[in-house]
Amino acid sequence: MKKIILNISLVSLLALSASCDNFQRTDVYPTITVDHSSVTLFEGDEIQLTASPSSLTFKWSTSDESIATVDNSGLVKAIKQGSASIFCESGDMSFETEVYVSRKVALTDIAMKCDSLIELAIGATVTIPVSMVPSDANDVPTTDFSWWSDDENVARVSQSGVVKGIGTGTTKIHYRKGSFAKFVTFDVQVTFPFEKGHPFVISKDEPTVIWFRDFDRGGMNVAFYDTGGGGGNTYRAQHGDPTSSMVTIEGGGNIGYLASGEWYIYSISVKDAGTYKITINASSGSGGSQGKYHFEIDGVKATETMPIQGSGNWGQFIDDDSFQINLPAGDHKLKFFADNGSHNPKHMTLAYISE
């Protein structure tokens, strides 16, 4: 048994010896390294370069002292705009660091390239462009900025400046770059006042006149419904609303060819809650059916369906004060609904009666 074990051991040693012969030896060359292969500095900035291994002695030099200088410890100072190479040497070994020097341009302001008030429908999005002043400012890091909304239940903003309408209301969207910050106000609604940012103000101080032609912007089936029976108008388009050309607005400013089932929405801001009298100024022909209408507040019926008296002549407009309505304080949507047309309404007047 001992002889057999000896033979196996000899075979193992021979195999190990043969395998060692397959290793290839490579030469190892000493090197030095610097902790930066390239740096970008502003004029006047400094940076300390560190070479390794620390046991060696190093010699530092620059390719262009008018761009960047370096002292015996590896401290680099940026002199003027341009590029230069910093060399670190020890014996036959060397390492090169590229230095890029820029002129510092201070940020003095930021600008949002949009109106101070932006109207946004629920679910819609819009991107807010921003710019630096001056445009080539470079003293604030590109990562030093932020976006935020005062009320994310109304509108939210991404870090790329995309704003999305979430719910009705008004909020401010802010942008900050460095120490500078700006904001824009967002009004998120289903419909929007005919005059941007200006709902009709209702108060007890004086009566408020609302022309029927000045219904909200928002489009068909959103801000109004009209069967288009009269041939269109240019009044709305001339005032920034190209979506309602099917509504007939006649020369006297009244809505013409009003048909049963048509309706119009008006943004109102009620300063004083209370009961108000609504007087409708309208005309009608000498015959035909009697006009009947009702009003809604925020989609809820707020008056009875009431008939109004006819004028007997399409060119003769008279007042009818059949309606009374209770208005809560705050911003609301007032809807005029024609249960039965047969009238040409011109304007309505809301006058305070009592609390």
Side-chain angles (χ1 to χ4, degrees), residues 6 13 23 100 157 254 260 269 275 303 350 353:
L6 178 61
L13 290 171
F23 286 127
Y100 303 95
V157 59
N254 62 280
S260 300
S269 180
T275 301
T303 70
L350 285 79
I353 297 177

Side-chain angles (χ1 to χ4, degrees), residues 71-148:
D71 66 10
N72 292 333
S73 69
L75 179 65
V76 177
K77 182 175 182 179
I79 304 301
K80 72 174 184 178
Q81 187 174 2
S83 62
S85 295
I86 300 298
F87 299 101
C88 177
E89 298 174 288
S90 181
D92 295 332
M93 299 176 289
S94 66
F95 191 96
E96 181 179 351
T97 299
E98 290 294 329
V99 178
Y100 303 95
V101 181
S102 301
R103 181 174 59 89
K104 182 182 288 189
V105 180
L107 182 68
T108 60
D109 201 359
I110 57 175
M112 287 181 164
K113 297 181 177 180
C114 58
D115 294 340
S116 59
L117 173 65
I118 297 178
E119 295 169 337
L120 191 64
I122 295 175
T125 60
V126 65
T127 301
I128 306 177
V130 295
S131 62
M132 297 186 297
V133 181
S135 60
D136 59 345
N138 59 10
D139 67 327
V140 178
T142 57
T143 56
D144 187 7
F145 75 94
S146 60
W147 289 93
W148 71 95

Side-chain angles (χ1 to χ4, degrees), residues 12-300:
S12 299
L13 290 171
L14 289 172
L16 180 61
S17 176
S19 65
C20 289
D21 289 341
N22 292 330
F23 286 127
Q24 294 183 359
R25 295 175 176 81
T26 57
D27 294 328
V28 177
Y29 298 97
T31 61
I32 61 174
T33 60
V34 177
D35 56 351
H36 291 84
S37 60
S38 67
V39 293
T40 300
L41 304 173
F42 289 123
E43 293 176 346
D45 286 352
E46 294 181 346
I47 186 171
Q48 178 66 56
L49 299 181
T50 302
S52 297
S54 59
S55 59
L56 300 179
T57 300
F58 303 103
K59 177 184 177 182
W60 298 88
S61 62
T62 177
S63 65
D64 192 337
E65 289 192 345
S66 68
I67 302 297
T69 62
V70 63
D71 66 10
N72 292 333
S73 69
L75 179 65
V76 177
K77 182 175 182 179
I79 304 301
K80 72 174 184 178
Q81 187 174 2
S83 62
S85 295
I86 300 298
F87 299 101
C88 177
E89 298 174 288
S90 181
D92 295 332
M93 299 176 289
S94 66
F95 191 96
E96 181 179 351
T97 299
E98 290 294 329
V99 178
Y100 303 95
V101 181
S102 301
R103 181 174 59 89
K104 182 182 288 189
V105 180
L107 182 68
T108 60
D109 201 359
I110 57 175
M112 287 181 164
K113 297 181 177 180
C114 58
D115 294 340
S116 59
L117 173 65
I118 297 178
E119 295 169 337
L120 191 64
I122 295 175
T125 60
V126 65
T127 301
I128 306 177
V130 295
S131 62
M132 297 186 297
V133 181
S135 60
D136 59 345
N138 59 10
D139 67 327
V140 178
T142 57
T143 56
D144 187 7
F145 75 94
S146 60
W147 289 93
W148 71 95
S149 170
D150 282 347
D151 190 345
E152 291 198 341
N153 292 320
V154 175
R156 297 174 186 172
V157 59
S158 72
Q159 290 306 295
S160 59
V162 179
V163 182
K164 182 176 183 179
I166 303 299
T168 59
T170 303
T171 188
K172 292 177 180 177
I173 300 295
H174 301 260
Y175 174 74
R176 179 197 60 79
K177 179 73 172 178
S179 61
F180 299 92
K182 293 290 176 67
F183 69 84
V184 60
T185 300
F186 271 77
D187 183 21
V188 181
Q189 302 290 341
V190 178
T191 66
F192 303 96
F194 180 59
E195 184 181 350
K196 185 176 181 179
H198 295 281
F200 293 102
V201 178
I202 313 296
S203 74
K204 63 183 179 182
D205 296 333
E206 59 181 348
T208 299
V209 178
I210 300 175
W211 284 69
F212 281 95
R213 65 186 180 183
D214 294 338
F215 53 88
D216 275 8
R217 291 174 289 115
M220 180 75 162
N221 296 317
V222 178
F224 70 93
Y225 171 73
D226 193 287
T227 58
N233 75 89
T234 59
Y235 170 80
R236 298 281 300 189
Q238 291 171 350
H239 289 78
D241 177 28
T243 68
S244 55
S245 60
M246 68 287 294
V247 179
T248 300
I249 299 177
E250 298 183 326
N254 62 280
I255 291 181
Y257 297 91
L258 184 69
S260 300
E262 294 182 347
W263 49 265
Y264 307 90
I265 291 177
Y266 305 84
S267 292
I268 61 173
S269 180
V270 181
K271 300 302 181 185
D272 303 299
T275 301
Y276 288 79
K277 177 176 67 176
I278 301 179
T279 301
I280 294 179
N281 182 262
S283 70
S284 64
S286 57
S289 60
Q290 188 179 39
K292 293 182 180 180
Y293 314 101
H294 73 266
F295 288 88
E296 299 175 9
I297 294 291
D298 301 329
V300 178

